[in-house]
Amino acid sequence: MQNNTESTDIISTVEFNSTGELLATGDKGGRVVVFQREQESKNQPHRRGEYNVYSTFQSHEPEFDYLKSLEIEEKINKIRWLPQQNAAYFLLSTNDKTVKLWKISERDKRPEGYNLKDEDGRIRDPTTITALRVPVLRPMDLMVEATPRRVFCNAHTYHINSISVNSDYETFMSTDDLRINLWNLEITNRSFNIVDIKPVNMEELTEVITAAEFHPHQCNTFVYSSSKGSIRLCDMRASALCDNHSKFFEEPEDPSNRSFFSEIISSISDVKFSHSGRYLMTRDYLTVKVWDLNMESKPLETYQVHDYLRSKLCSLYENDCIFDKFECVWNGSDSVIMTGSYNNFFRMFDRNTKRDVTLEASRENSKPRAILKPRKVCVGGKRRKDEISVDSLDFSKKILHTAWHPSENIIAVAATNNLYIFQDKVN
């Protein structure tokens, strides 16, 4: 870690809402910060606004589990927005154990002229009340309030690594290392266990669940990925406990590439359905893969994120970086995918042209309207002047969390404790 960074400020999740008007980040200190996009201004109709802080609230506090003598940290693992139904916004946030539903709403009027209390809120003496008043609403400065509406807790023995809202907008699931639970958004005191891979004897444990997500349109379908590099597609119509998957996606290992690190680097850190629902994207340590839901035998596309690290796996194992969990995201039309790397680099792959680019999120590039220059990493041999040698990469600067606006070319990239928002320049 850099010394100048408060560890509580490290961003741990980034998520746009379904319209892209709002962007939420969660951090290790349990805070959620919501950014809102400025409206178009009359004099510059083409320039949609910047994202400004809209609301900041403490979502989770540190807790202590006295039965297990364990500290439960407040770090926000994931945020998921619910589709907007009215003027208020709703989001789910989770730490290792507890999912919370938050309502974010605006107030720009306040009632005045109560009968039973005076303007300061003190209760009036009933004997002094001689006339009835009609309360009126007076304008006031805009206030944005975040209120916790529901708390979904006590359902996970292990750490929650993902939450996903179903397309029926009535249910969501929370996933830990060994189990997936299905909740109704209205009911906090019970959930249904839909996947349980815990062996009777824990010594026989060979894999854990690393991520899970609902299909974007079919409310009965979801996938989950494992530390063994496989993805299982399940159908909740088949049985209440989805112990038997309906599809199993796994790429057979190339024996010539087998090494001590094979199993660690094949663990899937993120899985995402495409917006169309036809494809799946998975991220492991070195690659991003795109799978067709109709082909289980091998991925449709494989993209090398940072193949130059293959020779560095030993030192990455020693400094624990090999266990970093990188996320991956689709653009709005499923034609480009993005994922992070080290040295504050992030990678984009165009699925149509097969072109790829490495970009850097840094203070120098973040001036308004700065153009991002592609970066190159060279391995051995001669280094051109604009290239960076693989030996001088900074592994403490890593981009694990990224988000893409649902319909426009606007991306959010979390680099340790800084959030960068880049957008296409408008002609």
Side-chain angles (χ1 to χ4, degrees), residues 29-202:
R31 285 182 301 266
V32 172
V33 181
V34 180
F35 299 86
Q36 184 183 44
R37 199 171 177 191
E38 266 176 24
Q39 296 309 309
E40 280 182 25
S41 59
K42 294 273 191 299
N43 46 7
Q44 291 178 304
H46 292 302
R47 250 200 76 219
R48 276 303 307 274
E50 315 278 318
Y51 283 85
N52 295 321
V53 174
Y54 177 62
S55 172
T56 304
F57 57 95
Q58 188 72 29
S59 171
H60 287 68
E61 303 278 357
E63 292 172 58
F64 193 77
D65 182 335
Y66 291 97
L67 286 174
K68 300 202 181 76
S69 292
L70 273 182
E71 272 188 58
I72 301 164
E73 56 177 342
E74 63 273 41
K75 173 185 162 218
I76 309 291
N77 292 343
K78 284 282 183 292
I79 289 173
R80 289 288 177 264
W81 290 92
L82 272 63
Q84 197 176 355
Q85 314 278 349
N86 53 27
Y89 302 100
F90 288 88
L91 62 80
L92 289 168
S93 63
T94 185
N95 67 349
D96 285 341
K97 296 289 179 193
T98 305
V99 184
K100 293 185 181 181
L101 174 68
W102 288 88
K103 176 186 180 182
I104 301 167
S105 52
E106 294 184 357
R107 247 206 353 221
D108 60 356
K109 293 184 178 63
R110 66 163 180 265
E112 277 181 11
Y114 288 104
N115 285 290
L116 297 177
K117 51 187 185 184
D118 58 25
E119 299 311 334
D120 301 333
R122 286 192 297 267
I123 301 292
R124 289 167 66 185
D125 176 3
T127 56
T128 63
I129 300 173
T130 54
L132 281 179
R133 299 191 286 183
V134 178
V136 288
L137 285 172
R138 297 245 186 271
M140 57 177 251
D141 289 342
L142 176 69
M143 264 178 63
V144 181
E145 297 181 312
T147 42
R149 296 308 297 268
R150 301 208 168 70
V151 177
F152 306 89
C153 57
N154 302 330
H156 287 277
T157 313
Y158 309 99
H159 290 180
I160 298 173
N161 55 44
S162 41
I163 46 177
S164 178
V165 179
N166 201 347
S167 59
D168 61 9
Y169 305 144
E170 288 179 14
T171 54
F172 74 93
M173 65 180 172
S174 55
T175 306
D176 67 27
D177 299 336
L178 298 179
R179 296 194 179 103
I180 301 177
N181 291 331
L182 181 71
W183 301 83
N184 186 305
L185 281 160
E186 301 291 328
I187 302 166
T188 57
N189 57 359
R190 67 167 184 268
S191 61
F192 295 97
N193 181 221
I194 52 173
V195 171
D196 187 349
I197 64 165
K198 184 181 179 189
V200 181
N201 177 3
M202 279 296 267

Side-chain angles (χ1 to χ4, degrees), residues 300-319:
L300 201 60
E301 301 152 22
T302 301
Y303 300 99
Q304 301 296 337
V305 178
H306 36 216
D307 207 41
Y308 46 79
L309 295 183
R310 249 181 227 285
S311 59
K312 297 253 171 283
L313 292 177
C314 210
S315 52
L316 289 162
Y317 178 75
E318 282 163 11
N319 64 13

Side-chain angles (χ1 to χ4, degrees), residues 349-383:
F349 302 95
D350 188 312
R351 298 180 57 210
N352 301 325
T353 63
K354 298 296 181 236
R355 292 220 300 260
D356 65 280
V357 64
T358 302
L359 300 168
E360 182 182 9
S362 73
R363 288 274 166 90
E364 292 74 63
N365 312 346
S366 61
K367 300 186 178 65
R369 293 190 250 309
I371 307 286
L372 287 178
K373 291 191 197 66
R375 301 296 309 261
K376 279 214 163 47
V377 177
C378 74
V379 187
K382 281 208 202 75
R383 183 167 69 91

